Amino acid sequence: METGEAEKSKMFITVEIIEYIPNSVVIKTILKKSTGNVSVMSFDSGEGLTEKTSPFDTFAQIIEGTANIIIRGVSHLLLTGQSIVIPAHAANFIKPNGRFKMISTVIKSGYE
């Protein structure tokens, strides 16, 4: 899976399809549709995402390492295997605790 979506009907190990790049956040799209998308992300030590809001709910799952996901000013420490739903329209940002990888799933239907 070098570019674009993952090949359908072919097994892959999610944590292995993305590598760490020094001083970078890397994002690979697994599935992209008009109703939402699934991406896998890697964060090098000290790298995170700035505060943002989305009009859609986002499901975040840590697949390697740990990170703080701050939602409306409340910090949630997530360990490997843990997940959280970031509500639509909620200010949020991601702060790493060293290198980590996560899956981000955005659902663009069901406007609340």
Side-chain angles (χ1 to χ4, degrees):
M1 188 173 114
E2 290 301 314
T3 60
E5 293 183 357
E7 186 177 341
K8 293 180 173 82
S9 301
K10 184 174 180 183
M11 189 281 303
F12 57 91
I13 299 171
T14 308
V15 75
E16 293 179 358
I17 64 171
I18 194 163
E19 298 298 324
Y20 294 108
I21 295 179
N23 306 309
S24 298
V25 174
V26 180
I27 302 171
K28 285 193 177 185
T29 301
I30 294 173
L31 193 62
K32 185 173 184 74
K33 303 293 178 193
S34 61
T35 54
N37 58 62
V38 179
S39 301
V40 63
M41 309 166 80
S42 70
F43 296 75
D44 194 26
S45 295
E47 300 298 322
L49 295 178
T50 58
E51 185 171 270
K52 65 176 186 143
T53 60
S54 170
F56 311 108
D57 289 337
T58 301
F59 174 76
Q61 178 185 19
I62 305 301
I63 58 173
E64 183 175 270
T66 65
N68 284 299
I69 297 182
I70 295 87
I71 304 170
R72 294 184 180 121
V74 177
S75 182
H76 306 272
L77 176 62
L78 274 70
L79 310 175
T80 299
Q82 293 183 319
S83 307
I84 195 165
V85 175
I86 302 168
H89 309 289
N92 67 88
F93 67 97
I94 298 172
K95 181 179 172 188
N97 290 323
R99 289 178 150 189
F100 77 100
K101 295 179 182 180
M102 67 177 273
I103 297 172
S104 172
T105 305
V106 177
I107 305 298
K108 294 183 178 180
S109 60
Y111 298 95
E112 267 93 68

